Amino acid sequence: MKQGIITLEHVNKWFGDFHVLKDINLSVSKKERIVVCGPSGSGKSTMIRCINRLEEHQEGKIVVDGIELTGNLKNIDSVRKEVGMVFQQFNLFPHLSVKENITLAPIWVKKMPKAEAEELAMRQLEIVKIPEQANKYPGQLSGGQQQRVAIARSLAMNPNIMLFDEPTSALDPEMIKEVLDVMVDLAEGGMTMIVVTHEMGFAKTVADRMVFMDEGKIVEEASPDKFFNNPESDRTKLFLSQILHQ
Amino acid sequence: MSGPISLTHNKYYSWCRDNLFSSWINGIITILSIYFIYEVSSFILNWTIFEADFVTNFRGERIIDRTFCSKNIEPGQHGACWAIIIVRFHQFIYGFYPVEEAWRVNLVYGLLPFALVGIFFDNLPFRKYFIYFTFLFPFIGYFLLYGGIGLDAVGTSKWGGLLVTLFLGVTGILLAFPLSIILALGRRSKMPVIKTICVIFIEFIRGVPLITLLFTANVMLPLFLPEGVRPDNLLRALVGVTLFQSAYMAEAIRGGLQAIPKGQLEAAQSLGLTYWQSTRKIILPQALKISIPPIVNTCIGLFKDTSLVLIIGLFDLLGVGRAAVADIDWAKLHYEVYVFISLIFFIFCFLMSRYSLYLEKKLKTDNSN
Ligand SMILES: Nc1ncnc2c1ncn2[C@@H]1O[C@H](COP(=O)(O)OP(=O)(O)O)[C@@H](O)[C@H]1O
Ligand SMILES: [Mg+2]
């Protein structure tokens, strides 16, 4: 198996008796963009949440940038510093302003002086194109703006890898594009990304590789061209026909 | 000129018709209720104020014991005899605190609001300095009340009345607060030992009456301390009250913690914050905010329950009241004493309850924007 910045080898995970991840093998190299898709409940979220240890796997090996994820708390901390994550429900901190949402981790985790952190926050807000919202509270923003703040908040920790778990699924259709545009910019800037999404347009323009999951397994892994035009597995074909015709 | 007046008149008129006299039955009930309210309130006002004695009786004599009360001279003709409260006012408010030192207690009462506003109102100007004062206050208060350097020492056995009630209520609540946060977090901990300890502690304390705890603290505390160290009664009661309050507050806070979506902690962790940082910066501020109304409710309960300390021999407000009732010179003035005590408890509890309503309203508007 070739060595990547993220490798999962024979990863198995159970929730109680329920076998949610079945022998997952995946290797992602630096600056690669992976799009993960599959039916609901297939284990996509669980897989990427294992990569920054929001979930614990029971068998197999996960290595991120040379650090193996075990019970070792120091390793978990170092991996979380490398990996940023964006959630379907944004998960902004509602009691903090947009600026405070972004400066919190730099100040407390990286011990950055406040003034420097605020400057950094403003730079990140420029990148996601909403610097004018800095002093508002999350509840005052639209869904698309909130998700862009969440991206800015992750980027402020200067991660090498970004994980996205259905970042546009909770958004109204007219706001999806503004978030995807930011993600495309990020991809063009050379960020290593794993994106769980059903936005196939985005996948076609950005993905280096498509990963299709079903029932806890990786069923198919292919280039976007092959994945969309000439998929091998019947389950992939079925899924694509459902998602492209809805 | 008559336009707006007749308009409001019409408005009241139609409101009365629609709500009070919409049918025969409704009309009769309304009239009976008005009669009932009139009778009750005129009785209360007459008894408490218009026909009551304060300093002198109806003959104009100064009341020095129960035989001077108008109602004891002409039974059935007169209202309350408040002289008992006035004569014993010092005891009700300070207990047996020396009269010439009472200014120290007054000063503490006077400073107390300044120590509390910072906690209660988050939009206060210069709030930071008020909060500093809040932290200093227990030391200032202790020094003023107990004495020491430069001030005569006044042992806690001399404290009484409202002073003891407030001391137990306020100190108990303030000490219970940090303890309850630890208990609430511990109860949700993933570490089985810590979790079990917290669950057992909370459930045990919630499962026994406060009186039992007070007795236990009174009897058991000396056993845990080195020989010769005899903590005074007030301190023992404070321990009991604090433990009791911390268990109830912990449950109120746990309710708030449960209301915070899991995604908040996950977002904080994915940013690299440690458990304690996430708890302090993300989880607790949100959880405490929504648990303030139930916390205030437990505080109201505790404030009233402090009156149970009279059972272990402390003279709190109720204890002083019972002593007053038992005094032969003033015997049989139960109503006056208990009404007065109820009124004091009511004022404090009512203020807390209004504060809790204010917060609920404020929280609603905070979240809707
Ligand atoms: N914390 C959990 N406890 C038990 N079962 C879970 C938990 N999280 C997810 N699952 C189950 O695991 C399966 C995979 O979930 P998930 O990874 O969220 O799927 P996807 O993101 O592909 O929709 C689902 O059947 C889900 O019900
Ligand atoms: Mg999912």
Side-chain angles (χ1 to χ4, degrees), chain A residues 40-41 43-46 49 88 165-166 196:
Chain A
S40 174
K44 309 179 295 292
S45 300
T46 309
R49 288 157 58 87
Q88 184 176 353
D165 191 0
E166 304 204 34
V196 176

Side-chain angles (χ1 to χ4, degrees), chain B residues 3 21 65 88 96 112 116 120 133 145 154 160 169 229 235 251 273 281 302 305 328 336 346 350 357:
Chain B
F21 298 99
D65 64 42
R88 288 175 163 260
F96 307 102
L112 183 62
L116 296 181
F120 287 168
F133 182 67
L145 291 175
V154 179
V229 180
L235 192 66
E251 287 298 281
L273 273 75
K281 291 280 151 191
L302 178 83
D305 285 348
I328 321 166
E336 284 80 352
F346 176 77
F350 185 69
L357 286 180

Side-chain angles (χ1 to χ4, degrees), chain B residues 173-313:
Chain B
I173 288 166
L174 291 182
L175 291 178
F177 189 58
L179 191 56
S180 66
I181 291 177
I182 294 169
L183 285 170
L185 290 174
R187 189 165 188 168
R188 287 162 54 91
S189 164
K190 289 203 183 90
M191 286 175 268
V193 179
I194 291 178
K195 184 176 170 146
T196 314
I197 292 175
C198 292
V199 169
I200 292 177
F201 181 88
I202 292 171
E203 293 305 329
F204 172 75
I205 290 198
R206 295 207 317 154
V208 300
L210 177 57
I211 297 200
T212 328
L213 274 183
L214 290 174
F215 276 131
T216 316
N218 204 26
V219 176
M220 302 272 281
L221 206 57
L223 303 182
F224 290 114
L225 294 171
E227 231 168 297
V229 180
R230 281 188 53 83
D232 65 55
N233 278 341
L234 189 62
L235 192 66
R236 296 185 210 183
L238 183 62
V239 170
V241 164
T242 304
L243 295 181
F244 182 76
Q245 175 64 0
S246 65
Y248 280 87
M249 245 197 231
E251 287 298 281
I253 293 173
R254 188 167 69 105
L257 290 172
Q258 258 158 357
I260 307 302
K262 212 171 108 227
Q264 292 287 305
L265 184 61
E266 289 176 354
Q269 289 182 331
S270 73
L271 287 168
L273 273 75
T274 63
Y275 170 81
W276 284 110
Q277 287 171 335
S278 320
T279 302
R280 216 182 104 208
K281 291 280 151 191
I282 306 300
I283 306 300
L284 273 183
Q286 297 184 63
L288 288 180
K289 205 168 158 187
I290 45 183
S291 17
I292 291 178
I295 288 177
V296 175
N297 272 339
T298 67
C299 294
I300 294 175
L302 178 83
F303 189 73
K304 292 183 291 187
D305 285 348
T306 54
S307 52
L308 290 169
V309 297
L310 76 92
I311 298 214
I312 57 169

Side-chain angles (χ1 to χ4, degrees), chain B residues 13-26:
Chain B
Y13 174 78
S14 56
W15 183 88
C16 288
R17 197 191 48 207
D18 295 346
N19 293 288
L20 302 179
F21 298 99
S22 58
S23 69
W24 265 106
I25 307 223
N26 194 343

Side-chain angles (χ1 to χ4, degrees), chain A residues 89-109:
Chain A
Q89 299 299 338
F90 328 137
N91 294 346
L92 292 180
F93 307 130
H95 60 303
L96 300 178
S97 71
V98 164
K99 203 199 269 175
E100 289 164 338
N101 261 276
I102 302 174
T103 55
L104 182 80
I107 290 175
W108 288 90
V109 180

Side-chain angles (χ1 to χ4, degrees), chain B residues 36-50:
Chain B
F36 180 76
I37 292 169
Y38 168 77
E39 281 291 313
V40 170
S41 51
S42 66
F43 171 78
I44 291 177
L45 285 175
N46 281 337
W47 188 80
T48 53
I49 299 170
F50 299 127

Side-chain angles (χ1 to χ4, degrees), chain A residues 161-216:
Chain A
I161 300 161
M162 286 287 289
L163 307 173
F164 292 83
D165 191 0
E166 304 204 34
T168 58
S169 307
L171 295 177
D172 292 336
E174 72 271 18
M175 294 170 185
I176 292 179
K177 187 171 176 299
E178 64 190 51
V179 172
L180 291 181
D181 284 349
V182 169
M183 291 167 62
V184 171
D185 289 350
L186 206 55
E188 282 166 359
M191 179 66 77
T192 310
M193 290 161 73
I194 301 184
V195 184
V196 176
T197 186
H198 293 157
E199 291 296 329
M200 290 305 149
F202 171 82
K204 281 175 191 163
T205 38
V206 167
D208 295 316
R209 190 154 36 117
M210 299 294 298
V211 170
F212 175 69
M213 288 183 74
D214 193 16
E215 293 180 355

